[in-house]
């Protein structure tokens, strides 16, 4: 099969995929809005923003004998001024010294509680500080990456919007979580890769490689979750969702699998773009090299990248689940029992299923890119950031550089 015929098939796949994903997004958005309103219990109306006007420690309260309360916890009597001007009283436990006069908090009204506990502080308001941190991040990206940074930030905004406005509402309306997450993740990839790396055959190879590897990850995730009898009930946040949903039974196992797919996509993008770019540069540097040599050389580069990426994926999951890892330090339970408990096992499945998909993405993307890229397809800034990989030098020495190019 010639490069031209492969490119034609790739173009058809990408265009058809874009049309299908667009239709899916429009359909999901059009059919889930009112359903979510009916299914989700009206809890947000019970939350209010307020500022603490005064906070006084309640004397005579000793929690030193209560193992469920952190050392140093005190009970605090607070006066709160809501944003609508109403002044209310609240009493609660302060474990970390956060309840101080002048601090903005989020409070919840519970009419069924006793009078002194009807208003309770549920969290500290962090929106202002998070906005500053976001602004610093955006400026750092723009200062380093320039126009490509703008595209990356737009892609990030699109990813967030996809999860908040499309994927989450679809799950809350009763749609299959894994299907919605998979198609939503593909839609994110279909938009963000061309936006960040340009419309070219290198990006096309990365997109197709990502789609195939993501499909494999979905299959591995389903088999792994079903095969290890994971229910999704080990996650406290997921269990709490059940109390906020009416009208149908939330698929917690599906939500767990959806999270694995979405979490894997970000690392997959990085690996597939790097591999496609590696093939393009090797082909540009050694246009006379046989396709098999290009694949072999790119795979050597890919193994270097993959060694770090697999560790990155595991550390990302480990960091998010650090309290679970601390269970290993608790005596009385063997390491094997810890590892096979659902709380820990679901994180192991999450990391391994995503890592296997990541490993598969390297040869899939490399072979595909070698089949559709030629010496004019190089994207010189994506892979090596200005450095020449030893594999590129070796192929140039063996097969010559662009000055030897034949048509």
């Amino acid at each position: 099969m010639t490069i031209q015929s492969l490119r034609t098939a790739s173009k058809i796949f990408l265009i058809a995929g874009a049309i299908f994903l667009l239709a899916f997004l429009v359909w999901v958005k059009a059919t889930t809005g009112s359903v979510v309103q009916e299914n989700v219990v009206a809890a947000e109306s019970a939350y209010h923003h307020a500022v603490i006007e005064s906070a006084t420690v309640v004397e005579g309260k000793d929690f030193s004998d209560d193992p469920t309360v952190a050392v140093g916890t005190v009970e605090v009597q607070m006066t709160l001024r809501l944003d609508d001007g109403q002044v209310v009283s609240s009493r609660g436990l302060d474990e970390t010294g956060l309840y101080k006069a002048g601090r903005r908090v989020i409070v919840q009204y519970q009419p069924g509680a006793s009078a002194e506990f009807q208003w309770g502080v549920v969290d500290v308001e962090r929106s202002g500080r998070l906005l500053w941190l976001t602004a610093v991040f955006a400026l750092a990206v723009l200062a380093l990456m320039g126009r490509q940074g703008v595209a990356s930030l737009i892609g990030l905004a699109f990813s967030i919007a996809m999860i908040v406005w499309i994927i989450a509402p679809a799950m809350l309306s009763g749609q299959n979580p894994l299907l919605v997450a998979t198609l939503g993740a593909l839609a994110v990839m279909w938009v963000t890769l061309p936006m960040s790396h340009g419309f070219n055959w290198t990006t096309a190879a990365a997109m197709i490689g990502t789609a195939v590897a993501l499909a494999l990850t979905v299959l591995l995730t389903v088999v792994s979750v079903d095969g290890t009898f994971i229910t999704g009930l080990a996650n406290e946040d997921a269990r709490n969702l059940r109390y906020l949903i009416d009208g149908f039974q939330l698929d917690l196992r599906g939500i767990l699998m959806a999270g694995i797919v979405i979490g894997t996509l970000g690392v997959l993008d990085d690996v597939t773009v790097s591999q496609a770019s590696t093939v393009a540069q090797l082909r540009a540097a050694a246009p006379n090299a046989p396709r098999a040599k290009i694949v072999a050389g790119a795979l050597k580069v890919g193994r270097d990248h993959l060694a770090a990426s697999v560790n990155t994926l595991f550390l990302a999951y480990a960091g998010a689940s650090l309290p679970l890892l601390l269970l290993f330090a608790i005596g009385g339970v063997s390491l094997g029992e810890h590892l096979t408990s659902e709380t820990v096992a679901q994180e192991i499945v999450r990391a391994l299923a995503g890592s296997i998909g990541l490993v598969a993405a390297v040869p899939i993307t490399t072979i595909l890119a070698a089949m559709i890229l030629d010496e004019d397809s190089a994207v010189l800034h994506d892979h090596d950031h200005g450095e020449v990989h030893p594999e590129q030098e070796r192929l140039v020495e063996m097969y010559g550089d662009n000055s030897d190019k034949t048509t």
Side-chain angles (χ1 to χ4, degrees):
M1 186 177 289
T2 64
I3 288 181
Q4 191 58 44
S5 59
L6 285 171
R7 288 185 170 185
T8 300
S10 300
K11 188 180 296 184
I12 293 173
F13 173 79
L14 293 173
I15 293 174
I19 294 173
F20 171 76
L21 291 172
L22 178 61
F24 160 75
L25 296 180
V26 171
W27 175 78
V28 167
K29 192 58 182 175
T31 57
T32 59
S34 60
V35 179
V36 172
Q37 293 290 335
E38 296 170 0
N39 288 340
V40 177
V41 177
E44 284 298 321
S45 59
Y47 287 85
H48 305 265
H49 294 264
V51 62
I52 300 176
E53 291 197 334
S54 66
T56 305
V57 175
V58 178
E59 299 295 340
K61 294 288 185 177
D62 183 10
F63 302 100
S64 58
D65 295 331
D66 189 344
T68 64
V69 178
V71 176
T73 297
V74 295
E75 187 171 9
V76 179
Q77 179 69 44
M78 292 170 283
T79 301
L80 309 171
R81 181 175 294 276
L82 307 184
D83 283 356
D84 61 6
Q86 182 181 1
V87 177
V88 299
S89 296
S90 174
R91 178 177 289 194
L93 299 182
D94 187 0
E95 297 185 355
T96 56
L98 287 176
Y99 300 159
K100 299 178 180 179
R103 179 154 289 164
R104 290 190 59 80
V105 293
I106 300 174
V107 296
Q108 184 178 24
Y109 179 60
Q110 299 175 329
S114 59
E116 61 180 345
F117 293 106
Q118 285 185 339
W119 291 93
V121 177
V122 296
D123 208 345
V124 176
E125 187 173 318
R126 304 177 178 88
S127 56
R129 297 173 187 269
L130 289 176
L131 285 175
W132 275 109
L133 183 60
T134 302
V136 172
F137 164 73
L139 289 174
V141 170
L142 293 175
L144 181 64
M145 301 175 62
R147 292 183 179 179
Q148 194 175 15
V150 174
S152 297
L153 291 175
I154 294 174
L156 175 60
F158 179 79
S159 299
I160 296 172
M162 176 66 67
I163 293 173
V164 173
W165 291 336
I166 302 293
I167 296 177
M171 292 181 184
L172 293 176
S173 69
Q175 301 288 348
N176 184 292
L178 182 58
L179 177 63
V180 169
T182 302
L183 295 180
L186 286 173
V188 168
M189 182 269 293
W190 239 262
V191 171
T192 57
L193 284 192
M195 184 178 297
S196 298
H197 303 285
F199 292 91
N200 49 63
W201 286 111
T202 304
T203 303
M207 291 174 66
I208 298 173
T210 302
V212 175
L214 191 66
L216 178 60
T217 301
V218 172
L219 178 61
L220 289 169
T221 298
V222 172
V223 172
S224 301
V225 170
D226 287 343
T228 52
F229 310 108
I230 290 177
T231 63
L233 292 170
N235 187 295
E236 183 178 355
D237 292 331
R239 291 199 307 270
N240 290 338
L241 281 173
R242 289 187 165 185
Y243 300 106
L244 298 176
I245 300 295
D246 284 336
F248 71 97
Q249 186 68 34
L250 201 63
D251 183 4
L252 298 185
R253 176 183 284 187
I255 291 175
L256 172 66
M257 293 189 288
I260 294 174
V261 171
I262 293 174
T264 304
L265 176 65
V267 189
L268 272 179
D269 285 352
D270 180 45
V271 169
T272 55
V273 168
S274 293
Q275 282 307 110
S277 184
T278 297
V279 171
Q281 291 192 73
L282 292 179
R283 173 57 71 194
N288 299 320
R291 184 176 293 170
K293 292 292 185 180
I294 294 292
V295 170
L299 286 177
K300 288 183 179 180
V301 179
R303 283 195 290 269
D304 293 340
H305 187 199
L306 192 61
S309 296
V310 169
N311 196 43
T312 298
L313 187 63
F314 172 77
L315 290 177
Y317 289 135
S321 306
L322 189 57
L324 297 180
L325 300 181
L326 296 180
L327 290 173
F328 295 153
I330 298 177
V333 181
S334 68
L335 177 61
E337 290 172 331
H338 274 311
L339 293 176
T340 55
S341 66
E342 179 165 344
T343 304
V344 178
Q346 72 176 16
E347 301 305 322
I348 294 175
V349 169
R350 190 192 304 270
L352 294 183
S355 296
I356 294 172
L358 196 63
V359 171
V362 172
I364 290 172
T365 306
T366 300
I367 294 172
L368 177 65
M371 295 173 68
I372 67 173
L373 298 180
D374 56 23
E375 61 270 24
D376 297 322
S377 303
V379 180
L380 297 178
H381 59 275
D382 280 343
H383 165 63
D384 56 17
H385 307 287
E387 300 177 0
V388 178
H389 195 278
E391 194 60 33
Q392 183 173 337
E393 292 181 333
R394 188 182 70 83
L395 286 176
V396 171
E397 292 174 359
M398 292 178 62
Y399 298 101
D401 57 20
N402 284 319
S403 62
D404 302 322
K405 181 169 62 177
T406 59
T407 57

